[in-house]
C-alpha cells in the first residue's frame, strides 16, 4: 500500500519511521516532510494548510491511507475532503476535531457527559471578562484562548493584574488572532500531569502505553510553556486504578458523547490530564498524537503500525486483539534552537546525528531541520531534533539518550537535563508522594 503522512515535525518523522517497518508498505510519502523523513519517504512540497493540494496529491499517489499529524489540517476539515474521494485517513473529521479546535466546545461536551474538568466561564466580550477577573477570589486562575494557538494560548495568572493583562492580550491585542475571539477563565488544578493517548475508531477505544511530556522550557519545570521539551514512557503515574478511572470516566464517555452528537471520532485522541486529589481531570483534548510523545511511544510499538492505523481509520479496531509493546522504556530529549519558544535563529549547521545513532537503541527524529542545496543539514527554528533512546528501564534509557545528545552539536542548542529524572526517583523510592 502507498501511504502519505501529512506534517513536517518529529511526530511525523516517527510515523514515517514506524510505517517504514510495516510489511505491507509499497511506497511512503510525506507532505511537506522534512530532511529526516526524506531518508525514508518521498517528500512533496505541499503545505499542511493546502487541503485541496493534499487531496490532489493523495489521489495522484493512489494512497490507501493518509496519516494526518498536526491539528491545523484536521480542524480545517482535511479528513472530510479525503473521505469525499474515498481515501481513509488516520485523524478525525472537522466536526469531531472541534474537541481541540474550540475549548468552549470541549467544555460543553464535558459538562453534558459529566467528564471531570476544571470549572470555567466562557466570554465573548472583553469588558465582561475583565469585570469577572475582579470577582475571582482563588488565585492562580487560568486564561485560555478558545481556538488553536499552537500551544501558546494558555496563561496562568497569579493575580488580577496578570489575569487582566492576559484578557487584553488575547481579546483586545488579538495576540492569537481569531483564536482569541472567545476566551475561557478556568479554575487552576493542582496535581501531577499525565498524557493518555488512545486510538479510537468511532467506537472502540485502544489506549496506548502511558507517557509523560515536559512542557516547561527549563529544568525543574521552570520557564514558559512549550510544545514539549522531552518525554518518556512508560510511567508509574498510571496505576491500574488511575488507568481504569481515565478509561471509564474520560475516554469512553468522550467517545460516546461525540458519537451521540453525530460526530464520531476516528484517530488519535489525546487527553491531557491532571491527577488531582479528586481523581483525573481533563486539562485539554488534542485530536492528534502528541509531539514529542509519539517519538517515544512508536519505537516501543510491536504491532504492525499500518494494520493498526488502517483499522482505526476504517472502524475495525475491535478486530485487533491487543496492541503489543516492547518491555523497554524510552526517553526522548528535545534539542531546541536559541530562545525557543520566544525566538529562533535558523540556519546553523547540525553535526553528530550519525554518531548519536551509532549508539544502541538511539533514534534521532527531525523536528525543525532543513537540507541546504549543498547537502548540509541546518536548523530551521524552534524544536530542532528529538533524540530518543530505548533502554531496559528508564534509568538506562535516560543514560543512553544523554550520551547521544552530547554527540550532537549546533549553534545555540539547548535542552533540558532532567527528562525522566522525577520518574526515576519515584521508582527508586516507591512510597514517596508524587509531588508537584
Ligand atoms: P492546555 O493547552 O490546555 O493543556 O494547557 C497547557 C498547560 O497549561 C497544561 O499542560 C497545564 O500545565 C497548564 N494548564 C492548563 N489548564 C490548567 C488548569 N485548569 N489548571 C492548572 N494548569 C493548567
Ligand atoms: N506534547 C504536547 C502536545 O503535543 O500537545
Amino acid at each position: 500500500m502507498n501511504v502519505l503522512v501529512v506534517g513536517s515535525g518529529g511526530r511525523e518523522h516517527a510515523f514515517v519511521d514506524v510505517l517504514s517497518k510495516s510489511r505491507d508498505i509499497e511506497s511512503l510519502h510525506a507532505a511537506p516532510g522534512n530532511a529526516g523523513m526524506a531518508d525514508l519517504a518521498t517528500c512533496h512540497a505541499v503545505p499542511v494548510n493546502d487541503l485541496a493540494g493534499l487531496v490532489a496529491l493523495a489521489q495522484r499517489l493512489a494512497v490507501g491511507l493518509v496519516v494526518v499529524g498536526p491539528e491545523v489540517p484536521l480542524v480545517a476539515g482535511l479528513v472530510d475532503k479525503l473521505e469525499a474521494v474515498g481515501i481513509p485517513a488516520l485523524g478525525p473529521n472537522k466536526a469531531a476535531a472541534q474537541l481541540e479546535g474550540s475549548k468552549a466546545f470541549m467544555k460543553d461536551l464535558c459538562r453534558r457527559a459529566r467528564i471531570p474538568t476544571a470549572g470555567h466561564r466562557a466570554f465573548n466580550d472583553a469588558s465582561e471578562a475583565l469585570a469577572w477577573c475582579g470577582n475571582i477570589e482563588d488565585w492562580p486562575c487560568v486564561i485560555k484562548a478558545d481556538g488553536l494557538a499552537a500551544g501558546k494560548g494558555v496563561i496562568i495568572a497569579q493575580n488580577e493584574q496578570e489575569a487582566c493583562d492576559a484578557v487584553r492580550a488575547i481579546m483586545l491585542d488579538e495576540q492569537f488572532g481569531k483564536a482569541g475571539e472567545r476566551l475561557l477563565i478556568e479554575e487552576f488544578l493542582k496535581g501531577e500531569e499525565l498524557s493518555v493517548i488512545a486510538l479510537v475508531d468511532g467506537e472502540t477505544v485502544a489506549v496506548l502505553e502511558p507517557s509523560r511530556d515536559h512542557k516547561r522550557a527549563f529544568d525543574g519545570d521552570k520557564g514558559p510553556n512549550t510544545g514539549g521539551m522531552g518525554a518518556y514512557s512508560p510511567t508509574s503515574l498510571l496505576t491500574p486504578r488511575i488507568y481504569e478511572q481515565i478509561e471509564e470516566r474520560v475516554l469512553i464517555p468522550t467517545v460516546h458523547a461525540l458519537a451521540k452528537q453525530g460526530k464520531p471520532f476516528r484517530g488519535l485522541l489525546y487527553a491531557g490530564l491532571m491527577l488531582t486529589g479528586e481523581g483525573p481531570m481533563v486539562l485539554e483534548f488534542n485530536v492528534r498524537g502528541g509531539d514529542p510523545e509519539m517519538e517515544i511511544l512508536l519505537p516501543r510499538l510491536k504491532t504492525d503500525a499500518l494494520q493498526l492505523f488502517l483499522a482505526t481509520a476504517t472502524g475495525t479496531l475491535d478486530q485487533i486483539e491487543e496492541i503489543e509493546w516492547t518491555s523497554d522504556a524510552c526517553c526522548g530529549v528535545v534539542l531546541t534552537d536559541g530562545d525557543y519558544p520566544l525566538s529562533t535563529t535558523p540556519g546553523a549547521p547540525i553535526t553528530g546525528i550519525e554518531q548519536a545513532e551509532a549508539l544502541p537503541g538511539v533514534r534521532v527524529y527531525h523536528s525543525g531541520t532543513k537540507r541546504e542545496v549543498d547537502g548540509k543539514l541546518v536548523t530551521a527554528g524552534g524544536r530542532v531534533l528529538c533524540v530518543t533512546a530505548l533502554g531496559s528501564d528508564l534509568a538506562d534509557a535516560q543514560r543512553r539518550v544523554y550520551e547521544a545528545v552530547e554527540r550532537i552539536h549546533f549553534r545555540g542548542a539547548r535542552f533540558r537535563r532532567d527528562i525522566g529524572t522525577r520518574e526515576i526517583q519515584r521508582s527508586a523510592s516507591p512510597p514517596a508522594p508524587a509531588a508537584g
Side-chain angles (χ1 to χ4, degrees):
M1 179 181 287
N2 303 328
V3 174
L4 171 65
V5 174
V6 173
S8 62
R11 168 183 51 210
E12 290 78 22
H13 190 184
F15 278 133
V16 164
D17 203 34
V18 76
L19 284 165
S20 72
K21 294 175 192 142
S22 191
R23 59 178 186 274
D24 296 326
I25 290 283
E26 265 168 60
S27 71
L28 258 176
H29 301 269
N34 66 28
M37 286 187 244
D39 291 339
L40 298 165
T42 309
C43 294
H44 304 266
V46 183
V48 301
N49 57 4
D50 178 2
L51 305 194
L54 290 168
V55 175
L57 177 67
Q59 285 182 299
R60 183 163 64 74
L61 298 170
V63 302
L65 177 72
V66 178
V67 174
V68 188
E71 63 277 17
V72 168
L74 291 168
V75 172
L78 175 59
V79 172
D80 308 62
K81 292 193 188 312
L82 289 166
E83 269 171 8
V85 296
I87 300 177
L90 182 73
N93 62 16
K94 185 173 181 167
Q98 280 186 75
L99 198 58
E100 179 169 357
S102 164
K103 292 189 191 287
F105 174 87
M106 169 271 194
K107 285 288 189 186
D108 192 49
L109 186 111
C110 287
R111 187 179 53 78
R112 286 167 193 241
R114 298 176 191 277
I115 296 159
T117 185
H120 82 287
R121 274 183 78 99
F123 296 91
N124 293 307
D125 180 89
S127 54
E128 279 177 30
L130 289 168
W132 183 259
C133 292
N135 296 332
I136 298 173
E137 286 172 3
D138 291 331
W139 297 98
C141 77
V142 187
I143 317 276
K144 295 184 175 184
D146 178 60
L148 292 183
K152 295 179 189 135
V154 175
I155 295 136
I156 297 177
Q158 301 297 336
N159 50 46
E160 186 180 341
Q161 177 69 46
E162 286 183 20
C164 290
D165 287 348
V167 170
R168 283 191 203 97
I170 293 173
M171 287 193 120
L172 301 179
D173 303 341
E174 298 177 13
Q175 217 171 71
F176 306 109
K178 281 176 90 67
E181 280 177 358
R182 187 158 39 175
L183 161 153
L184 270 63
I185 301 184
E186 201 172 284
E187 168 200 4
F188 180 81
L189 299 176
K190 286 197 203 75
E192 187 80 42
E193 269 187 76
L194 176 73
S195 334
V196 172
I197 306 172
L199 283 164
V200 179
D201 72 349
E203 204 176 317
T204 303
V205 176
V207 182
L208 306 186
E209 282 277 278
S211 57
R212 175 76 152 91
D213 187 13
H214 295 61
K215 286 199 174 144
R216 300 293 202 94
F218 308 127
D219 285 12
D221 288 334
K222 304 250 164 37
N225 257 324
T226 70
M229 295 296 293
Y232 63 82
S233 167
T235 164
S236 62
L237 284 170
L238 196 66
T239 61
R241 188 168 145 267
I242 297 174
Y243 177 95
E244 203 173 296
Q245 288 177 341
I246 293 170
E247 209 176 22
E248 299 289 320
R249 297 185 197 172
V250 176
L251 296 174
I252 293 173
T254 302
V255 169
H256 283 171
L258 282 167
K260 212 165 115 193
Q261 288 190 18
K263 299 168 180 159
F265 188 99
R266 282 189 179 167
L268 282 154
L269 177 61
Y270 172 129
L273 303 154
M274 189 71 90
L275 304 181
T276 72
E278 288 148 51
M281 298 181 83
V282 179
L283 291 174
E284 63 163 345
F285 281 116
N286 295 320
V287 297
R288 51 169 176 80
D291 188 346
E293 288 93 331
M294 296 322 280
E295 290 97 307
I296 51 102
L297 282 172
L298 293 176
R300 297 188 52 222
L301 183 66
K302 276 197 347 204
T303 305
D304 184 281
L306 179 58
Q307 300 306 326
L308 199 54
F309 296 166
L310 259 183
T312 307
T314 55
T316 55
L317 204 46
D318 58 340
Q319 288 169 25
I320 293 198
E321 285 274 300
E322 198 187 344
I323 305 179
E324 287 186 65
W325 303 90
T326 66
S327 60
D328 293 332
C330 191
C331 189
V333 175
V334 172
L335 270 59
T336 71
D337 150 30
D339 264 346
Y340 174 79
L342 303 176
S343 66
T344 73
T345 43
I350 305 169
T351 59
I353 293 181
E354 230 173 273
Q355 291 81 343
E357 289 194 323
L359 292 165
V362 171
R363 185 79 177 106
V364 179
Y365 295 107
H366 293 230
S367 299
T369 68
K370 210 178 103 186
R371 188 77 64 188
E372 301 225 296
V373 270
D374 60 4
K376 208 188 296 161
L377 187 71
V378 298
T379 62
R383 293 190 286 180
V384 175
L385 298 169
C386 179
V387 184
T388 68
L390 292 164
S392 56
D393 59 16
L394 186 60
D396 187 35
Q398 193 200 47
R399 205 164 30 244
R400 288 180 185 199
V401 79
Y402 281 109
E403 199 184 324
V405 164
E406 292 304 331
R407 295 186 175 193
I408 298 175
H409 302 281
F410 57 86
R411 184 190 67 224
R414 199 167 58 71
F415 57 91
R416 276 183 62 161
R417 292 175 189 274
D418 63 348
I419 306 300
T421 299
R422 254 201 342 235
E423 170 77 18
I424 293 167
Q425 288 164 351
R426 244 194 317 262
S427 326
S429 52

